[in-house]
Amino acid sequence: MADRPGPQVYSIAAHRGFADALVAGLLPRYSQPDVGLARLTLLLPSSRAARTVTEAFIRLSGNGLLMPRMAVVGDLDLDETLGALLDPLGAGAAIAPAADPMRRLFRLAQAIPDAMSALGREAPSGAARLRMAGQIATAIDRLLVEDIDPAALWQERVAQVLAEMSGHWVENTKVFYAVQQMWAAELRARGEVDAATRRNRLFAHAAERWRSDPPKTPIVAAGVTSAAPALAGLLRVVSELPGGAVILPDLDLSMDPAVWDELGHAGAPEADPPLARGDAVTHPQYHLKLLLNRMGVNRSEIQPWHRAGLGKGPPERSHAISNLFLPPEASKGWVDLPADKRRLAGVRLLETANPEEEAQAIALLVRQAVAEPERRVAVVTPDRGLARRVVHHLRRWNIEADDSAGRPLSQTAAGRLFLLLAEVGAEQAAPVPLMALLEHPLVRLGDERGAWLDRARVLELQLRGPRPAPGLEPLRETATEAAVADWWSEVETILAPLMDESEARLADLLDRMVAAGEALAGENLWAREDGRALSALVEDLRLHAGEAGFVLAPGQLPAALRDLLEAVAVRPPYGGHPRVAIYGLLEARMTRADLVICAGLNEGTWPATPALDPLLAPAVLRALGVPGPDFRIGLSAHDLAALLGAPEVVLSRSARDVQGPAIPSRFLLRVRALLGRKMSDEAADMTTLALARALDDAKPAPRYSRPQPMPREDQRRVRISVTALDRLRSDPYQFYASAILRLKPLDALDAEPTPAWRGTAAHEVLETWHKTGRPMAEVAEEVLEQMNHHPLMRALWRPRLMKALEWVETMIAAHPERKPVLFEEWGAMLVRGIEIFGKADRIDRFADGTLAIVDYKTGQPPSGRQVENGYALQLGTTGLMAERGGFKDVAGPPTAFEYWSLAKSPKSETGFGYVATPILTGNKRSGIPLDDFLPEAKRFLDEALDRWILGQEPFTARLNPDAPGYDTYDQLMRLDEWLGREDGE
């Protein structure tokens, strides 16, 4: 390749396809007989870029050749972890080693309390302190990557900015600086530097060495767009080497100079400050201008790399892309743009109703593309949830397409099991994490898993309902009741070390979790790619947390681990479809495909919402010359601009996301505005949308009519409880499901206390108090402790219950003329051969021998109207049993029927409790007269027996829709499918 003076900097237009155009230019320029490109060193931004370029070499090399040596020097995203670079160039010996990032994290966490104490502030503890240490580490790297000494925080320009800001920013800056100085002192003592500093020194060393002694073989930097000053200096040297070159992706050489100037100073040497507030940091060309300014290269010096005929994308697309991302003032020129300058040929727009429909449509586009031989398709989205949906939809056609961006370790099987171990310890074996752990797919994987799950599920059934007492010991009794005591003994032995609630060294906590995890899952915990990633992380944590002596309360362990696990991405192994790729934005850079689907183009997703640095204010960073959070929007715009250069592009979004209505991405809105209404309508891919919606269409299902089961005569003759009689009359189907089919609803694990549960607790307290005569408060404490009532109950309901029970005690003492003679006792009677049974809450005897039937209610009692209509028969049916001697040692005519409600009452001295009666009196509008009360109850009972138990009437669902009832069996009766359409409408 001929040498020429000045920097040798090139650009590859978006429509060319960077990797293919790069290789197509390298082959004629650098290939030599016999050795091919073996003497060329190619500097690339990332491992993914190296893989993409390698694939391009394979496609374009024909019969094969020796490929260049490839070195990864950085990435466009400066938050990516950057390893020790350029060591093979001989720089490592003279430069201090880099401190381990995990060690730094824990040393920063240990330094935070001292730093904040010196400033008179209280330091966070546990997981919050570890999270703060991570934020400080990120801020340190952000400054060091830009080659800025943290001491610059107190220079005059920054001080002026801080003086105008609120106090918390000043305090946060002081905390950051104090912790950083402590860490810097430790680095000096150890003879180490931060990884970002070492990287900068490696770049500077390589630049100095190559400048003074140029290498004998050519060096080309391709696709490197990081604007870090040290890397920019190295690129400048590479551009001036004999045979060297710097090749940039998608630098717009056709942009008008006035538009280029409108982007702002972008780090120009003469600018003060180098990054102004008005800079167009969200423009896709801004970071490239920043790089060129730091390299000291004028845009006019840059040459196009490609030659005629290279690439597959339409050239006119590049002009449209350039116009698409014009800054605000220049965008006014869209009005006068001719159609050929605004047309995006080969670009389609796809707008769906929701993420599920979007994934379905994308999967259909992929399926259509792979049907054509050699056609490659890439789905690019920052929305990992959408990517997973697409993966699952593609399996409809047996297309395996792994998401190469990976999943957070916390969402993998191994990571989730490890988090569950932490949650079981933190929540003291609460039912939800405990059962999730015991039934985890990796636990006892193999021949014994079936028997293990059988026992776990038996225990789960026993645990359903409100949470039991904390710890493993109370569960021992539950396991015994479930007949799995031997199995539980093994589980208890494994989990017992996790139950210690005292603070401990994080390394020791991890040791306990590893031991428990291996006892439950064995080698399966570490066997797959997620297990290997977990193993590496745990070993790293144990080493450095142990060295730092970091102490953590077990209750904070889940939050701390979740943060650490979410930072680790687990990428799938190879083996997916060879022509289908699903990428995140980082993985998609430099990719090549015939069809590119840019999905998830909603605001907050693409581009992502900028995350503010909680320690250093954006204005402070800008004064230092560090790009602020909006800079990442420009990177996202550049990603989209590069992808728009593919031969065929689909831009996709959904009108709603999982949280509700979604706002279209600002990039997509620009596409629509550039195209105009007519061309936007023409570009809309309505065909794919219609096919996606029709893909799962089926013939309309026949209308589901209201259920009216007709059991046989022998099936109808069942015992009826006094409470079920109300249900039989109001909703016969619910009685059928409960009493005839015997389908009992299951409570949820760790369920919120229901009214029924509260009623059970209140009845048990009253029963014990009535039968023992012990003080009411003492009995209540004992019963509630045994039932281990929910935290919400302890805080809210227990005080109310105690006031209501105090009222009950006072009321009974205030009426000596009536004596309670029966408490919480079962009774029964035969009516026309059918057993009617039930439990009486309390029966009192008056001096004349008559009885009072009392029913305790924790809420509002039934209204008189409900009793009139036969939907609240419990008092009347219980009275019939008492009259007929259905209760042991208690018989007589009932003359009083009362509901004793424990609900709030302004008339009660304690504020809770009142008496109501369904008996119609002079001042009431509804109810039944006392003389008619038992006859009416008998009539309603006989009617129910005649119609359903002894008769042939169907058990119609929701026979009386206005009657009070439960929704227990609504799903079984498929209520939503027929309610409101009973007449065939």
Side-chain angles (χ1 to χ4, degrees), residues 407-529:
R407 285 188 297 163
L409 181 55
S410 59
Q411 297 181 13
T412 64
R416 184 60 191 143
L417 188 145
F418 210 66
L419 279 176
L420 285 170
L421 288 167
E423 290 171 9
V424 166
E427 299 184 35
Q428 289 293 289
V432 172
L434 175 65
M435 296 316 305
L437 174 64
L438 297 180
E439 297 175 359
H440 189 280
L442 295 181
V443 173
R444 290 296 192 272
L445 191 61
D447 295 339
E448 58 180 317
R449 179 163 174 79
W452 177 276
L453 284 180
D454 288 342
R455 291 166 174 79
R457 287 163 181 164
V458 169
L459 178 66
E460 179 185 334
L461 288 175
Q462 198 71 24
L463 281 176
R464 287 180 174 270
R467 179 183 299 190
L472 297 174
E473 187 174 347
L475 297 176
R476 198 177 302 154
E477 182 179 347
T478 304
T480 302
E481 294 174 1
V484 291
D486 293 341
W487 170 81
W488 175 252
S489 178
E490 178 188 358
V491 174
E492 189 173 354
T493 302
I494 294 172
L495 299 182
L498 304 179
M499 296 297 109
D500 189 347
E501 295 185 87
S502 57
E503 279 193 347
R505 297 166 70 246
L506 177 57
D508 295 336
L509 294 175
L510 291 172
D511 286 338
R512 298 175 197 170
M513 292 172 59
V514 168
E518 290 180 345
L520 288 171
E523 64 179 13
N524 295 308
L525 179 58
W526 320 110
R528 297 172 60 85
E529 62 274 6

Side-chain angles (χ1 to χ4, degrees), residues 411-739:
Q411 297 181 13
T412 64
R416 184 60 191 143
L417 188 145
F418 210 66
L419 279 176
L420 285 170
L421 288 167
E423 290 171 9
V424 166
E427 299 184 35
Q428 289 293 289
V432 172
L434 175 65
M435 296 316 305
L437 174 64
L438 297 180
E439 297 175 359
H440 189 280
L442 295 181
V443 173
R444 290 296 192 272
L445 191 61
D447 295 339
E448 58 180 317
R449 179 163 174 79
W452 177 276
L453 284 180
D454 288 342
R455 291 166 174 79
R457 287 163 181 164
V458 169
L459 178 66
E460 179 185 334
L461 288 175
Q462 198 71 24
L463 281 176
R464 287 180 174 270
R467 179 183 299 190
L472 297 174
E473 187 174 347
L475 297 176
R476 198 177 302 154
E477 182 179 347
T478 304
T480 302
E481 294 174 1
V484 291
D486 293 341
W487 170 81
W488 175 252
S489 178
E490 178 188 358
V491 174
E492 189 173 354
T493 302
I494 294 172
L495 299 182
L498 304 179
M499 296 297 109
D500 189 347
E501 295 185 87
S502 57
E503 279 193 347
R505 297 166 70 246
L506 177 57
D508 295 336
L509 294 175
L510 291 172
D511 286 338
R512 298 175 197 170
M513 292 172 59
V514 168
E518 290 180 345
L520 288 171
E523 64 179 13
N524 295 308
L525 179 58
W526 320 110
R528 297 172 60 85
E529 62 274 6
D530 56 338
R532 292 189 287 273
L534 177 64
S535 174
L537 176 63
V538 169
E539 288 304 313
D540 208 15
L541 286 174
R542 284 202 293 197
L543 172 63
H544 296 295
E547 179 188 343
F550 187 77
V551 175
L552 194 67
Q556 296 182 327
L557 184 58
L561 276 180
R562 189 173 291 108
D563 289 343
L564 294 166
L565 265 62
E566 286 179 354
V568 179
V570 179
R571 290 176 170 82
Y574 293 102
H577 196 286
R579 293 189 285 121
V580 178
I582 299 180
Y583 296 129
L585 297 188
L586 294 181
E587 292 75 25
R589 289 167 186 166
M590 296 178 61
T591 190
R592 177 259 187 194
D594 301 295
L595 169 63
V596 172
I597 303 169
C598 301
L601 280 165
N602 280 330
E603 201 68 17
T605 301
W606 192 349
T609 303
L612 289 176
D613 190 317
L615 298 166
L616 301 178
V620 170
L621 293 173
R622 190 165 50 246
L624 290 169
V626 180
D630 286 349
F631 184 73
R632 298 184 64 83
I633 296 177
L635 301 183
S636 296
H638 187 266
D639 291 331
L640 182 62
L643 295 168
L644 282 171
E648 187 178 351
V649 181
V650 175
L651 305 179
S652 166
R653 73 170 291 261
S654 60
R656 297 180 64 87
D657 58 19
V658 294
Q659 297 177 337
I663 300 172
S665 166
R666 65 189 71 185
F667 306 146
L668 188 61
L669 292 176
R670 277 182 162 267
V671 170
R672 291 176 177 168
L674 178 68
L675 293 177
R677 181 182 297 275
K678 181 179 180 182
M679 284 193 285
S680 291
D681 292 342
E682 293 173 354
D685 191 351
M686 302 306 296
T687 302
T688 300
L689 183 59
L691 289 174
R693 289 174 175 172
L695 195 58
D696 291 326
D697 281 353
K699 293 181 179 179
R703 185 174 65 85
Y704 189 78
S705 58
R706 176 188 292 201
Q708 295 181 330
M710 291 281 291
R712 299 190 309 269
E713 180 181 347
D714 58 310
Q715 293 174 324
R716 292 172 178 262
R717 298 179 66 87
V718 293
R719 307 167 69 225
I720 304 176
S721 70
V722 293
T723 54
L725 183 61
D726 298 342
R727 181 174 295 187
L728 175 60
R729 288 187 49 80
S730 62
D731 190 347
Y733 185 91
Q734 296 221 20
F735 177 89
Y736 165 78
S738 175

Side-chain angles (χ1 to χ4, degrees), residues 71-391:
V72 175
V73 298
D75 198 281
L76 211 162
D77 184 344
L78 300 183
D79 291 331
E80 283 283 281
T81 301
L82 298 171
L85 306 176
L86 303 177
D87 269 335
L89 300 179
I95 298 177
D100 187 280
M102 190 65 74
R103 182 179 181 278
R104 178 178 68 170
L105 177 70
F106 285 103
R107 295 306 298 167
L108 291 175
Q110 294 296 80
I112 287 173
D114 292 339
M116 297 189 72
S117 176
L119 296 171
R121 295 179 59 182
E122 185 177 352
S125 62
R129 178 147 55 97
L130 207 57
R131 189 176 300 118
M132 184 176 180
Q135 295 166 349
I136 292 175
T138 300
I140 289 174
D141 286 342
R142 183 173 244 173
L143 296 182
L144 295 181
V145 162
E146 296 292 326
D147 209 11
I148 295 173
D149 187 342
L153 285 168
W154 308 116
Q155 65 185 15
E156 183 179 355
R157 177 194 300 160
V158 181
Q160 291 176 353
V161 171
L162 282 171
E164 299 173 359
M165 304 191 70
S166 60
H168 85 277
W169 282 116
V170 178
E171 292 298 316
N172 288 352
T173 303
K174 290 179 179 178
V175 170
F176 165 75
Y177 182 74
V179 175
Q180 190 277 333
Q181 288 299 299
M182 292 179 181
W183 169 243
E186 183 170 337
L187 285 178
R188 288 191 294 271
R190 292 176 60 90
E192 295 178 345
V193 294
D194 283 297
T197 300
R198 175 173 168 79
R199 188 196 72 160
N200 289 344
R201 293 181 182 179
L202 286 169
F203 288 161
H205 182 91
E208 181 181 352
R209 178 185 174 194
W210 290 345
R211 186 183 293 110
S212 59
D213 183 17
K216 307 303 180 186
T217 57
I219 297 178
V220 172
V224 180
T225 57
S226 170
L231 184 52
L234 177 64
L235 293 180
R236 172 70 192 217
V237 172
V238 170
S239 71
E240 295 175 335
L241 292 175
V246 174
I247 306 162
L248 301 176
D250 316 322
L251 179 64
D252 189 356
L253 298 180
S254 63
M255 181 182 289
D256 187 272
V259 178
W260 182 258
D261 292 339
E262 191 182 338
L263 298 184
H265 298 312
E270 70 280 1
D272 186 25
L275 301 179
R277 180 184 292 271
D279 283 7
V281 295
T282 61
H283 193 279
Q285 296 290 306
Y286 181 84
H287 69 286
L288 295 174
K289 183 174 184 179
L290 180 62
L291 173 61
L292 292 179
N293 284 339
R294 289 178 172 176
M295 288 176 63
V297 175
N298 192 285
R299 189 170 66 110
S300 62
E301 299 178 88
I302 300 172
Q303 302 294 319
W305 172 258
H306 55 82
R307 297 176 180 178
L310 294 181
K312 293 185 177 181
E316 63 273 12
R317 179 102 52 84
S318 291
H319 298 295
I321 295 171
S322 177
N323 290 321
L324 176 64
F325 291 103
L326 288 174
E329 285 299 318
S331 296
K332 297 176 182 178
W334 284 355
V335 177
D336 302 321
L337 273 180
D340 61 329
K341 294 293 185 181
R342 66 168 70 223
R343 186 177 299 280
L344 288 167
V347 176
R348 288 179 284 163
L349 307 179
L350 179 63
E351 181 166 354
T352 59
N354 52 64
E356 180 66 18
E357 189 174 88
E358 183 179 9
Q360 181 82 284
I362 291 170
L364 185 60
L365 287 169
V366 173
R367 174 65 183 87
Q368 291 172 332
V370 298
E372 302 179 29
E374 300 184 8
R375 185 169 172 81
R376 296 170 61 84
V377 58
V379 179
V380 183
T381 177
D383 186 344
R384 307 279 39 93
L386 178 60
R388 286 192 292 273
R389 289 176 186 266
V390 173
V391 168

Side-chain angles (χ1 to χ4, degrees), residues 3-8:
D3 295 336
R4 66 176 179 83
Q8 302 169 59

